[in-house]
Amino acid sequence: MKIGELAQVAQCTVETIRYYEKEGLLPAPGRTAGNFRVYGPEHVERLRFIRNCRALDMSHDEIHTLLGLADKAEQGCGAVNEVFDQHIAHVDERIRELTHLKQQLATLRQRCQSVQAVQSCGILQGLAAMEAEPKSERHTHLG
């Protein structure tokens, strides 16, 4: 099939397919005599795998690792478990970061309980007065 057909079957865009090829996530397709890309069922399967990983918010590095492990079917799945354990730890850390952010926002929101003049807005006053916390290194793999 041609790239447009693959995009339709895999429910993604042609640009996504080209990007994944460039990133090495999707193997280069064969070419016709007219130099058109020709894709097969293995490309559909690989794209679905990648899309499912992305739906789980996995990084390209994690996907590369999983694809490499999947290509070595004779090995045990311990390394796959390690990738998932690390990803779960990243998700846990991001949840902690987002929970802290929500608390900060809720505290600011409590400063303004009624509609009033902007110059009296507790949220704006709180934003102006608060000491910004030092930018900590995010513990997420996504940056």
Side-chain angles (χ1 to χ4, degrees):
M1 69 185 85
K2 292 183 181 175
I3 195 166
E5 294 168 299
L6 175 62
Q8 187 174 10
V9 169
Q11 299 177 344
C12 65
T13 66
V14 168
E15 292 79 17
T16 297
I17 294 168
R18 288 185 179 136
Y19 177 74
Y20 287 157
E21 285 176 7
K22 183 179 140 208
E23 291 295 308
L25 293 171
L26 193 63
R31 298 277 183 163
T32 66
N35 206 28
F36 289 103
R37 292 177 167 112
V38 179
Y39 298 90
E42 66 281 1
H43 291 97
V44 174
E45 184 179 316
R46 190 90 158 197
L47 267 173
R48 286 189 177 141
F49 184 93
I50 295 166
R51 286 189 55 228
N52 289 337
C53 289
R54 292 298 297 145
L56 295 171
D57 212 22
M58 295 186 138
S59 70
H60 286 183
D61 286 342
E62 289 169 325
I63 298 169
H64 269 290
T65 300
L66 290 174
L67 287 169
L69 294 168
D71 289 340
K72 298 174 185 168
E74 69 282 350
Q75 293 184 352
C77 66
V80 174
N81 291 338
E82 288 178 26
V83 171
F84 263 72
D85 289 344
Q86 289 176 2
H87 187 63
I88 290 167
H90 292 221
V91 170
D92 285 339
E93 183 57 35
R94 186 66 182 139
I95 289 169
R96 282 190 287 280
E97 291 171 354
L98 289 171
T99 299
H100 179 69
L101 173 61
K102 182 179 178 183
Q103 290 169 345
Q104 288 178 301
L105 293 168
T107 298
L108 281 169
R109 179 62 182 95
Q110 290 299 315
R111 294 181 64 123
C112 189
Q113 294 297 314
S114 62
V115 177
Q116 53 195 323
V118 170
Q119 65 199 33
S120 301
C121 178
I123 294 172
L124 296 178
Q125 291 172 358
L127 285 169
M130 78 185 236
E131 293 292 323
E133 295 178 7
K135 185 81 171 166
S136 63
E137 181 180 325
R138 287 184 65 189
H139 294 93
T140 176
H141 64 298
L142 298 176

